[in-house]
């Protein structure tokens, strides 16, 4: 049985280190689409701002400049792991060699490659790598500003505010780790659990960001196995022996993060959808 309380960084690290099977591991086994890494990061920051903003400094490292492209970041990541020193300038030859190994910009000379990596964005990213520990992610100021705007709009929206703000007598818990056994040890990290005592209902709420409109999103949800994820959470919750006489309902908060297209929705995950995810 779990204890519902505000999650700490120790709780989160304990969850990450636990060897139990998670929904993301199972989704990787059964197949399905993958979310773009930039969209995934934006979603992670928005999720954090809505559910665990007190852990921001524990989860993210902010760099002053825009991040380089994904391919350049991968080269810098690899070169950083084999660095001879922390100084960026001293590692440029190592960075060029790493770029050569992955066949990046093959037509460029070594000197031209050095110039390609000799800029503030690459240097800022390199020094941000020094600060990464315990699973932190690097985000730029632009990404933070965009996520903060989306999160604040979601909190002000009449559609989603009642799920995100403590404006009633319902109990709200954010980033709830649960553990259970179903042939193998399992674990899940629920974005939100809302306990509505008046109606004796527990709401399991998962925050999803998207660049699609709501009609397109249902196709995206199926391709990314969101019904499976929600069914996994629902089944895990029902093994927690908490509020056993309460109904359990599942909801997605879907937030469009496209520029100029902020549209939040609350989508019910019906029993039919849950069964689609299970089977």
């Amino acid at each position: 049985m779990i204890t519902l309380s505000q999650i700490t960084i120790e709780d989160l690290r304990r969850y990450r280190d636990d060897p139990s099977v998670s929904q993301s591991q199972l989704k990787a086994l059964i197949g399905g689409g993958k979310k773009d890494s930039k969209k995934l990061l934006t979603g992670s920051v928005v999720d954090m701002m809505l559910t665990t903003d007190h852990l921001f400094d524990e989860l993210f490292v902010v760099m002053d400049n825009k991040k380089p492209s994904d391919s350049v970041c991968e080269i810098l990541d690899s070169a950083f792991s084999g660095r001879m020193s922390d100084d960026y300038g001293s590692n440029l030859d190592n960075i060029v060699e790493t770029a050569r190994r992955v066949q990046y910009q093959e037509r460029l000379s070594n000197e031209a490659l050095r110039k390609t990596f000799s800029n503030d964005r690459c240097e800022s990213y390199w020094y941000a790598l020094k600060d990464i520990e315990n699973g932190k992610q690097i985000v730029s100021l632009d990404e933070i500003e965009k996520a903060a705007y989306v999160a604040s709009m979601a909190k002000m929206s009449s559609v989603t505010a009642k799920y995100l703000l403590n404006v009633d007598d319902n109990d709200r818990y954010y980033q709830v780790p649960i553990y259970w056994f179903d042939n193998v040890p399992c674990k899940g990290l629920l974005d939100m659990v809302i306990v509505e005592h008046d109606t004796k209902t527990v709401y399991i709420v998962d925050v999803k960001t998207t660049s699609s409109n709501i009609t397109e999103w249902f196709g995206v949800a199926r391709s990314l196995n969101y019904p499976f994820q929600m069914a996994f959470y629902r089944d895990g919750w029902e093994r927690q022996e908490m509020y056993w006489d309460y109904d359990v309902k599942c909801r997605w908060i879907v937030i469009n993060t496209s520029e100029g297209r902020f549209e939040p929705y609350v989508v019910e995950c019906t029993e039919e959808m849950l069964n689609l995810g299970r089977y």
Side-chain angles (χ1 to χ4, degrees), residues 74-254:
E74 289 174 5
I75 291 168
L76 294 173
D77 289 343
S78 179
F80 187 84
S81 65
R83 68 193 184 282
M84 300 300 294
S85 71
D86 287 339
D87 180 66
Y88 183 69
S90 301
N91 281 276
L92 279 172
D93 287 339
N94 176 31
I95 293 168
V96 169
E97 290 176 10
T98 304
R100 289 288 185 218
R101 284 199 298 272
V102 298
Q103 300 178 323
Y104 176 78
Q105 298 286 353
E106 293 181 89
R107 296 182 180 181
L108 295 182
S109 65
N110 283 357
E111 187 59 33
L113 271 178
R114 282 178 65 92
K115 290 181 179 178
T116 297
F117 287 95
S118 298
N119 58 69
D120 291 341
R121 289 171 66 179
C122 290
E123 188 169 348
S124 293
Y125 183 81
W126 177 273
Y127 287 117
L129 288 171
K130 289 175 56 180
D131 296 324
I132 290 183
E133 57 185 14
N134 296 320
K136 288 185 180 181
Q137 294 178 283
I138 297 176
V139 291
S140 66
L141 283 175
D142 282 353
E143 288 167 328
I144 291 295
E145 289 172 359
K146 178 179 180 179
Y149 169 77
V150 170
S152 65
M153 292 292 286
K155 289 179 179 179
M156 290 189 291
S157 166
S158 59
V159 175
T160 50
K162 63 182 179 181
Y163 290 87
L164 303 171
L165 301 176
N166 290 312
V167 293
D168 48 40
D169 294 330
N170 299 331
D171 295 329
R172 287 172 174 77
Y173 304 95
Y174 303 100
Q175 296 298 322
V176 179
I178 59 174
Y179 305 87
W180 70 99
F181 191 86
D182 185 3
N183 295 315
V184 295
C186 300
K187 66 179 182 180
L189 191 63
L190 315 185
D191 281 347
M192 286 182 244
V193 174
I194 301 175
V195 184
E196 192 172 84
H197 297 289
D198 287 348
T199 62
K200 300 189 74 171
T201 303
V202 171
Y203 290 92
I204 297 172
V205 183
D206 201 32
V207 178
K208 298 299 185 187
T209 54
T210 183
S211 58
S212 305
N213 62 43
I214 193 60
T215 302
E216 298 166 338
W217 182 81
F218 282 100
V220 172
R222 184 161 188 173
S223 70
L224 295 176
N225 287 318
Y226 289 165
F228 167 80
Q229 178 183 3
M230 188 67 88
F232 186 76
Y233 289 163
R234 163 77 175 269
D235 294 346
W237 173 264
E238 291 185 339
R239 287 171 170 80
Q240 301 307 303
E241 299 180 1
M242 293 193 69
Y243 301 108
W244 58 269
D245 58 340
Y246 280 43
D247 290 332
V248 181
K249 297 183 178 181
C250 300
R251 299 286 187 270
W252 287 296
I253 291 180
V254 182

Side-chain angles (χ1 to χ4, degrees), residues 24 27-28 31-37 39-40 220 223-226:
S24 57
K27 283 200 296 186
K34 288 187 176 181
K35 202 168 183 179
D36 176 83
S37 59
K39 293 178 182 177
L40 192 62
V220 172
S223 70
L224 295 176
N225 287 318
Y226 289 165

